[in-house]
Amino acid sequence: MQSTLWFLTRASGIVAMVLIVAAIADGLVFSGREAGKQRLRPAWWLDLHRGLGGYALIFTGLHVLTAFGSDLGVGIAQIFVPNASATSTTAFTLGVLAMYGMLISVFTTWPKRLLPRKAWHVVHLVAFPVAIVTGIHAYLLGTDARAPWYTMLTLVLVAVAMYPIGLRLTGIYRRRRGQELRELQPIAADRPGPRRRAVAPARRGGSR
C-alpha cells in the first residue's frame, strides 16, 4: 500500500505540473488572440483553459493526499505551513507556496471570475511563478528529477510555455507598430506635396 501511494504521489505531481504549463500556454493563446484562434471559437479556448486549471488543482490535491498517506514524513504542518518541515525545508516550502498560488489562481477564475478585471488580471499572473516554483519543487524532491526522460519532459514543458509567450510578444510588437503607422498616416496626408508644372494640352494635327 505504501509503495502504491508513493507511486501515485510521483505520478500525480508530474501530471499536475504538465497541466499547469498547459493551462498557462492555453491562457496565453486565448488572451493574445494568436496561433490560429480564428479557426476555433473563443469560448472553446476559455473552456479548455478553465478545464486544465481545474484538473491541475485536482491532481495537486491528489498529490498532497497521497504524500500525506505514504511513508514520506509529510504531516499536516508540512502541507499547509511554509518552512515547517525539518528536512528539505526549501523544497517543501516551495510546494506549499505553489499550492496556495494555484488555489488563488483557479478559484478567482473558475467557474466565474470573482474580481474586477484589472485586479483579477494582476492576481491571475501568479500562475507564472506557480509554474516556476512547481518545477523547482519537483526537481528538489522528485526521485525521477535526474532521469533522462524527466529532463526531456522539462525541456518540452519549457518549450510549450515559451512558444505562446513568443507569439504574445511578437503580437504586441505588431499591434504597436501598426498603431504607430496609423498615427503617422494623417501627418503624412497633411503635408503639402511637390508642386507639379502644368503641361499644356497637345495640339491636334500637324503644323502647316
Side-chain angles (χ1 to χ4, degrees):
M1 183 63 180
Q2 295 295 331
S3 60
T4 302
L5 291 176
W6 179 68
F7 176 79
L8 288 175
T9 302
R10 296 162 55 199
S12 58
I14 293 172
V15 173
M17 183 173 62
V18 172
L19 290 171
I20 290 170
V21 174
I24 291 175
D26 177 80
L28 288 170
V29 172
F30 168 76
S31 60
R33 295 180 173 85
E34 305 292 345
K37 182 182 170 182
Q38 296 82 359
R39 293 195 294 268
L40 294 171
R41 295 177 300 169
W44 187 92
W45 289 97
L46 181 59
D47 290 342
L48 178 61
H49 177 65
R50 290 176 174 175
L52 290 171
Y55 283 121
L57 188 61
I58 291 172
F59 275 93
T60 299
L62 179 62
H63 177 68
V64 171
L65 288 176
T66 53
F68 177 74
S70 61
D71 189 16
L72 296 176
V74 178
I76 297 296
Q78 287 81 5
I79 293 174
F80 295 103
V81 181
N83 205 34
S85 176
T87 60
S88 302
T89 306
T90 301
F92 278 106
T93 299
L94 292 177
V96 174
L97 295 177
M99 180 185 67
Y100 285 137
M102 191 183 304
L103 288 170
I104 293 172
S105 179
V106 172
F107 282 113
T108 55
T109 304
W110 182 85
K112 182 180 180 181
R113 194 171 66 220
L114 302 178
L115 299 174
R117 183 172 181 80
K118 290 185 178 180
W120 166 84
H121 186 264
V122 173
V123 172
H124 204 59
L125 290 177
V126 75
F128 290 96
V130 163
I132 296 173
V133 168
T134 300
I136 299 174
H137 165 77
Y139 180 79
L140 293 177
L141 279 182
T143 55
D144 300 313
R146 278 72 176 175
W149 69 266
Y150 188 88
T151 302
M152 291 300 299
L153 176 63
T154 302
L155 294 176
V156 170
L157 291 179
V158 171
V160 169
M162 292 304 298
Y163 175 70
I165 290 175
L167 287 177
R168 186 70 176 271
L169 293 177
T170 55
I172 291 174
Y173 172 78
R174 288 197 302 267
R175 286 189 290 271
R176 288 184 177 179
R177 184 61 179 169
Q179 181 65 27
E180 291 176 357
L181 293 176
R182 286 191 295 270
E183 292 175 354
L184 290 175
Q185 284 177 355
I187 299 177
D190 293 339
R191 291 178 181 175
R195 294 183 178 179
R196 295 183 179 181
R197 183 181 299 176
V199 179
R203 296 180 179 179
R204 295 184 179 180
S207 58
R208 295 181 180 177

